[in-house]
């Protein structure tokens, strides 16, 4: 049902621009869309203003909120399967940690019912704590990813969901062929499109460069262009990851150059961590319109460094924050 709210509204319009709207009257549709914000409505004038609104609101009693009303939080980097061991498993370097913890946790979610249960508990937890929009890594399993989308719709969270793509250097029972990864990624995109739900979007999701062949990266870049999709991955996040990338693709210039050459640096891309990015690479990301998901806690555990946030902001690189306590 539609609702009315009367409160002091905090409206962050930009990194350094915070608007405070006192005595704001918000009209929210049954679908959850804020249709009207009327500022400076003292309590004595509320009823008069309500009568100027569309009929659906005229019989409603507004909810009067003390304190401040703020927009929902947007988390730009969440590995949903890692909810299974949240707050633990921080005892190994990144590449070892993947094999010991991340890949087994994701493998368990091939079972759609197990996946649905994990995803449902995670989404509910996030919503209870104010995260109304999230950018998710799921797993390589297309049916479980579809279930994730259904969970987000049922709970009313805006979700950008990525079916993970990885065709090399995974676990023995957790890796795809290039052809299967591209096929299932396209199937997932098409499935989300058939839902026609405004809150759910598919995301092209190469896990990170060491687990992706160049053929896979190029194919995912082609899918991103074909469907005008969002993109996410990890970029220059730790010493051992960079060493592995150089071992595999040493003549190609590093993560930024490889993603760029395969069509995966766009204004719809969000790359996580970036603790090892150079000033030149930050400028490249800025010029491409690619954002960096800043994950301070994960960087502390696995990143072998601190993300140069001030340098990124000075370079006008878009740098949203993430609560991610895990990594690749």
């Amino acid at each position: 049902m539609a609702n009315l709210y009367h409160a002091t509204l905090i409206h962050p319009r930009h990194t350094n621009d915070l608007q405070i709207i006192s005595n704001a009257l918000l009209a929210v549709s049954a679908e959850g869309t804020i249709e009207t914000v009327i500022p400076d409505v003292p309590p004595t004038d509320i009823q008069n203003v309500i009568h100027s609104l569309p009929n659906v609101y005229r019989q409603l009693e507004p909810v009067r909120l003390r304190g401040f009303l703020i927009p929902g939080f947007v988390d730009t980097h969440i590995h949903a399967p890692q909810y299974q061991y949240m707050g633990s498993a921080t005892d190994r370097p990144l590449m070892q940690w993947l094999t010991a913890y991340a890949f087994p946790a994701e493998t368990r979610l091939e079972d759609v019912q197990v996946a649905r249960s994990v995803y449902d508990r995670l989404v509910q937890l996030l919503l209870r704590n104010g995260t109304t929009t999230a950018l998710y890594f799921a797993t390589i399993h297309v049916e479980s990813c579809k279930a994730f989308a259904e969970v987000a719709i049922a709970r009313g969270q805006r979700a950008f969901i990525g079916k993970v793509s990885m065709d090399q250097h995974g676990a023995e029972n957790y890796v795809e062929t290039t052809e299967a990864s591209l096929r299932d990624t396209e199937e997932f995109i098409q499935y989300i499109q058939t839902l026609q739900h405004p809150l759910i979007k598919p995301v092209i999701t190469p896990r990170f460069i060491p687990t992706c062949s160049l053929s896979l990266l190029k194919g995912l870049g082609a899918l991103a262009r074909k469907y005008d999709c969002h993109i996410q991955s990890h970029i220059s996040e730790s010493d051992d990851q960079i060493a592995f990338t150089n071992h595999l693709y040493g003549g190609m210039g590093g993560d930024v150059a490889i993603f760029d050459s395969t069509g995966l640096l766009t204004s719809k891309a969000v790359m996580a961590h970036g603790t090892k990015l150079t000033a030149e690479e930050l400028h490249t990301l800025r010029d491409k319109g690619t954002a960096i998901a800043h994950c301070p806690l994960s960087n502390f555990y696995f990143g072998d460094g601190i993300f140069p946030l001030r340098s990124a902001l000075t370079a006008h690189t878009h740098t949203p924050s993430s609560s991610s306590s895990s990594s690749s």
Side-chain angles (χ1 to χ4, degrees), residues 33-114:
T33 301
I34 298 174
E35 294 196 325
T36 304
V37 177
I38 303 174
D40 301 319
V41 180
T44 54
D45 288 348
I46 288 177
Q47 291 304 319
N48 290 333
V49 173
I50 288 175
H51 286 303
S52 70
L53 296 175
N55 288 336
V56 68
Y57 298 105
R58 292 181 183 175
Q59 302 304 315
L60 298 179
E61 182 66 24
V63 178
R64 304 191 185 196
L65 302 174
R66 296 181 179 180
F68 300 102
L69 185 62
I70 65 173
F73 299 126
V74 179
D75 197 318
T76 57
H77 188 63
I78 302 180
H79 285 266
Q82 294 170 20
Y83 173 69
Q84 298 172 88
Y85 56 91
M86 183 174 64
S88 63
T90 59
D91 61 328
R92 304 191 187 194
L94 175 61
M95 301 307 296
Q96 296 177 29
W97 172 88
L98 286 170
T99 301
Y101 300 114
F103 292 159
E106 293 179 33
T107 300
R108 285 193 288 273
L109 301 193
E110 182 176 9
D111 184 314
V112 174
Q113 293 310 311
V114 173

Side-chain angles (χ1 to χ4, degrees), residues 12-245:
R13 296 185 292 192
H14 190 268
T15 304
N16 299 312
D17 185 1
L18 188 69
Q19 183 182 24
I20 300 175
I21 306 175
S22 300
N23 288 318
L25 186 66
L26 280 76
V28 181
S29 73
E31 294 74 31
T33 301
I34 298 174
E35 294 196 325
T36 304
V37 177
I38 303 174
D40 301 319
V41 180
T44 54
D45 288 348
I46 288 177
Q47 291 304 319
N48 290 333
V49 173
I50 288 175
H51 286 303
S52 70
L53 296 175
N55 288 336
V56 68
Y57 298 105
R58 292 181 183 175
Q59 302 304 315
L60 298 179
E61 182 66 24
V63 178
R64 304 191 185 196
L65 302 174
R66 296 181 179 180
F68 300 102
L69 185 62
I70 65 173
F73 299 126
V74 179
D75 197 318
T76 57
H77 188 63
I78 302 180
H79 285 266
Q82 294 170 20
Y83 173 69
Q84 298 172 88
Y85 56 91
M86 183 174 64
S88 63
T90 59
D91 61 328
R92 304 191 187 194
L94 175 61
M95 301 307 296
Q96 296 177 29
W97 172 88
L98 286 170
T99 301
Y101 300 114
F103 292 159
E106 293 179 33
T107 300
R108 285 193 288 273
L109 301 193
E110 182 176 9
D111 184 314
V112 174
Q113 293 310 311
V114 173
R116 190 182 295 275
S117 174
V118 169
Y119 293 147
D120 189 50
R121 284 181 283 137
L122 171 61
V123 170
Q124 289 187 71
L125 175 66
L126 291 169
L127 288 172
R128 284 197 304 271
N129 288 277
T131 299
T132 55
T133 299
L135 177 57
Y136 289 111
F137 277 63
T139 69
I140 65 175
H141 312 111
V142 66
E143 295 303 323
S144 294
C145 292
K146 293 176 183 178
F148 195 176
E150 294 161 5
V151 164
I153 290 172
R155 295 297 180 184
Q157 186 184 53
R158 183 181 299 278
F160 296 78
I161 299 172
K163 187 214 84 68
V164 172
S165 294
M166 44 187 288
D167 65 346
Q168 63 184 24
H169 303 297
E172 183 177 352
N173 59 344
Y174 192 66
V175 70
E176 310 165 284
T177 66
T178 307
E179 295 75 16
S181 185
L182 293 172
R183 179 198 66 220
D184 288 353
T185 297
E186 186 163 27
E187 179 182 337
F188 180 64
I189 294 168
Q190 292 173 345
Y191 174 75
I192 297 300
Q193 290 180 335
T194 64
L195 295 176
Q196 296 185 322
H197 198 285
L199 295 182
I200 309 299
K201 300 292 184 184
V203 185
I204 300 287
T205 306
R207 184 183 204 100
F208 66 159
I209 286 174
T211 57
C212 297
S213 68
L214 291 179
S215 295
L216 178 58
L217 292 172
K218 291 175 182 177
L220 293 172
L223 287 175
R225 291 189 296 275
K226 179 178 179 180
Y227 292 100
D228 191 27
C229 278
H230 293 83
I231 300 163
Q232 64 179 342
S233 190
H234 305 82
I235 198 164
S236 301
E237 61 177 311
S238 69
D239 290 336
D240 53 350
Q241 177 263 306
I242 290 173
F244 198 5
T245 297

Side-chain angles (χ1 to χ4, degrees), residues 287-306:
D287 294 343
K288 294 290 182 177
T290 297
I292 305 167
H294 177 39
C295 313
L297 185 57
S298 177
N299 293 345
F300 174 79
Y301 288 127
F302 301 108
D304 300 321
I306 297 173

Side-chain angles (χ1 to χ4, degrees), residues 250-266:
M252 297 191 64
D255 287 14
V256 171
I258 293 169
F259 280 130
D260 192 17
S261 69
T262 53
L264 292 166
L265 290 188
T266 74

